[in-house]
Amino acid sequence: MSETLPATGLLGASWLLIALPLAGAAVLLLGGRRTDRWGHLLGTGTVVAAFVLGLACTVQLAGLDERSVDVDLFTFLQTGSLDVRAGLLFDPLSAVFVLLITGVGALIHVYSIGYMAHDPARRRFFAYLNLFVAAMLLLVLGNSYVALYVGWEGVGLASYLLIAFWYTRPAAATAAKKAFVMNRVGDVGLALAVFVMFAQLGTTSYAGVLGNVGLLAGGTVTALGLLLLLGACGKSGQFPLQAWLPDAMEGPTPVSALIHAATMVTAGVYLIARSAPIYDASPTARTVVLAIGAITLMIGAIAGCAQDDIKKVLAYSTVSQIGYMFLAVGLGPVGYVAGLAHLLTHGFFKAGLFLGAGSVMHGMGEQTDMRRYGGLAGKMKITFVTFGLGYLALIGFPLLSGYWTKDAIIEAALDRGGVSGWLLAGVAVLGAGLTAFYMTRLMLLTFFGRPRWEGVDGNPPPTPHESPGVMTVPMIVLAVGSVAAGFLLVRVFPLADWLAPVFGPEAEAAEHVLPPLLVSVLVTLVVALGALVAWLFVGRREVPVIAPVRVSPVVRAARQALYADVVNESLLMRPGMWLTRALVFVDNRGVDGVVNGAAAALGGSSSRLGRVQTGFVRSYALGMLGGAVVIAGALVAVTAG
Amino acid sequence: MSIANYLVLAAVLFTIGAVGVLVRRNAIVVFMCVELMLNSVNLTLVTFARSTGTLDGQLIAFFVMVVAAAEVVVGLAIIMSIYRTRRSASVDDANLLKY
């Protein structure tokens, strides 16, 4: 960590970055129906304003010598020896994220104006979007792990609200709950990490924690690294907590683009990149990051190959691409920049792809099954071109964004050397081939071939049409980004130089295992092979409208996303339910049983005693006589005895 | 004359009264039996007062008579009222006050 400067000038107002969208959300939520007419404009305006401010702050930051500014705001917590200040840290890393979140976020807001035009609850949608952007900005701008945690939970809340936006659909409500619960599993890890920091170092600020990693015992550092990784896995949909992300596609499509492509899922990568000194000090934790990245990228790629829902394919693609980023940041100093560069370009092309998918769905009457698409290239020209550019960028077509950043990750993995280097690079290359396969399949099913959308299930056939300009313009902007961002970030304005104050000067590998050009050619060949296989399997044949049932076990496993849900259910959910049932049983029968039993015993015996009161006066008289005789007898016995 | 005779007479009267209370159903008869028991007690009290030469027993006997007279007034009124409403003077029919 380099020295931080007190905030001056415009940077002192960087808290407005968070306050603007938050104020927008507050006005829209509290204003109610009165804001219906102009709510979407306010919501978009706050994010655009935040983007402009973020840009200005970044420009000012670039002019400083020490590119790291601390904005102290107020005391957040003070109890005993514990003193947590709320403050912002504006440095190159957070600046990159601020620009990505507000930039892509603003485009998605604009797109949503058109996409949600017919939804009666559009104002509420924009309120939640603004809340999300505010929480995400707090997450990346906070100067301590506590501030990050607040943003982290805010993001979780906003994503829950957005996924369940159409809460009358049972699938959406369930998906939101699933996302919330699985995120909570990860959040426990992050919370425990924060507790460990309090206990061991007495502080949670980045400066205090990351500057003093050397004071901690080795085991503590590893534990911190693994706990933070658990949090990152939950938020970023990484193995073993990846199952929530594809289900979260039940939300409106702009939500998928904003949350599950460009911003929220990258929070895990941010967390690990921000905590770089911890991972630098613990090779074990770093190896686990690597392994999780590699496993997830394969799981996502395999599952993506067999999905028929266009958004699910993109969701698994996201899981897979974030696996690449984890792999990259797990490689250590050589990989941080590569991973973040891929994160940025992925933000562009995946947001563009999701918006394109939303445009297709918009034109096809909310149909998401790709088997019901086909031949849409001529009907939606702008969507086709922008989606196609995003597709090419994602699979790593030479000179487009994905090519620059994905190849950088593969090279970094190879340069690790040894068996593990070859293995990781092999997995990454194989993943690139699979990516090409499933994305080509998606393109062929959606835009090429015979139209398969005539009259489904007795409904009138949809009338495919191009989306309005308010939706296509953001798609065009993102497509331009998909094409150019990689080249710009790697060659023109090298991200490595910009991030140098955070990660130190780029560690150039002493010697490349394979020349970079050869790696690029190899990867491109594998990608071409994947696309070719997709054409052989999908493009050449007639596509059945109903998914075939008799398929090989591999396809069946891929359709089930490698049985992630089944594993979760049988390993965690069912034992949990059994435990709950056992506890409920003990509570009902054991605890309640003792209390209720005592009351019932008393009540029963009293009512039985009451039967003695028969109402026959003569029996009472007999009782009195008997009693008198007993007393008299006792007196006689006592006196005589 | 030994006091035993008085006491035996009192015991016999008390027993007749007690048995009458227990076995008869007619409220008037039960009432008379109660009076019989009270008077047998009075006899006992007076007997002992005479034999010990004090006035305590006789005093208590008067108290008992006064209480008995008051009790008869209230009791007969109750019996009259029950008879009017239920057309019966049987104590077993008046068994509503129970569990």
Side-chain angles (χ1 to χ4, degrees), chain A residues 350-545:
Chain A
K350 188 52 67 66
L353 286 171
F354 266 116
L355 295 190
S359 173
V360 170
M361 286 160 57
H362 199 68
M364 293 294 287
E366 299 304 316
Q367 176 66 262
T368 60
D369 188 352
M370 294 191 296
R371 292 181 185 278
R372 310 267 188 202
Y373 293 167
L376 292 176
K379 299 277 182 189
M380 310 178 176
K381 291 203 175 62
I382 300 175
T383 304
F384 170 62
V385 172
T386 54
F387 199 96
L389 288 174
Y391 152 76
L392 291 175
L394 171 56
I395 66 171
F397 192 79
L399 303 182
L400 297 191
S401 284
Y403 165 81
W404 295 103
T405 53
K406 199 185 283 183
D407 280 13
I409 295 177
I410 295 172
E411 278 164 28
L414 257 184
D415 291 345
R416 185 181 161 86
V419 180
S420 66
W422 281 101
L423 194 65
L424 291 170
V427 168
V429 172
L430 188 59
L434 286 171
T435 306
F437 173 80
Y438 66 69
M439 284 310 292
T440 309
R441 174 173 173 271
L442 186 155
M443 285 299 285
L444 291 171
L445 284 176
T446 304
F447 291 107
F448 297 99
R450 185 179 64 79
R452 296 179 300 276
W453 31 267
E454 296 99 342
V456 175
D457 302 333
N459 293 327
T463 48
H465 55 85
E466 186 56 272
S467 302
V470 73
M471 288 168 70
T472 50
V473 168
M475 286 156 57
I476 293 167
V477 175
L478 286 170
V480 171
S482 310
V483 173
F487 182 70
L488 291 178
L489 288 173
V490 175
R491 290 295 157 93
V492 182
F493 307 110
L495 192 64
D497 293 350
W498 173 248
L499 290 175
V502 182
F503 299 124
E506 193 184 12
E508 192 64 33
E511 195 176 316
H512 288 302
V513 176
L514 291 175
L517 190 65
L518 182 60
V519 175
S520 288
V521 171
L522 268 177
V523 173
T524 310
L525 280 179
V526 172
V527 166
L529 187 67
L532 182 69
V533 171
W535 183 75
L536 289 177
F537 271 87
V538 182
R540 240 177 16 149
R541 302 186 195 170
E542 186 67 10
V543 179
V545 174

Side-chain angles (χ1 to χ4, degrees), chain A residues 610-611 613-615 618 622, chain B residues 22-24 92 95 98-99:
Chain A
R611 295 268 152 192
Q613 306 284 320
T614 55
R618 294 185 298 151
L622 183 62
Chain B
L22 290 180
V23 303
R24 298 303 297 263
D92 285 3
N95 65 344
K98 60 182 176 185
Y99 52 85

Side-chain angles (χ1 to χ4, degrees), chain B residues 10-38:
Chain B
V12 168
L13 287 176
F14 188 90
T15 309
I16 292 171
V19 170
V21 168
L22 290 180
V23 303
R24 298 303 297 263
R25 288 205 189 95
N26 192 320
I28 304 290
V29 178
V30 170
F31 219 73
M32 292 197 304
C33 291
V34 170
E35 292 302 317
L36 201 56
M37 288 160 73
L38 285 172

Side-chain angles (χ1 to χ4, degrees), chain A residues 631-641:
Chain A
I631 290 170
L635 280 176
V636 169
V638 168
T639 355

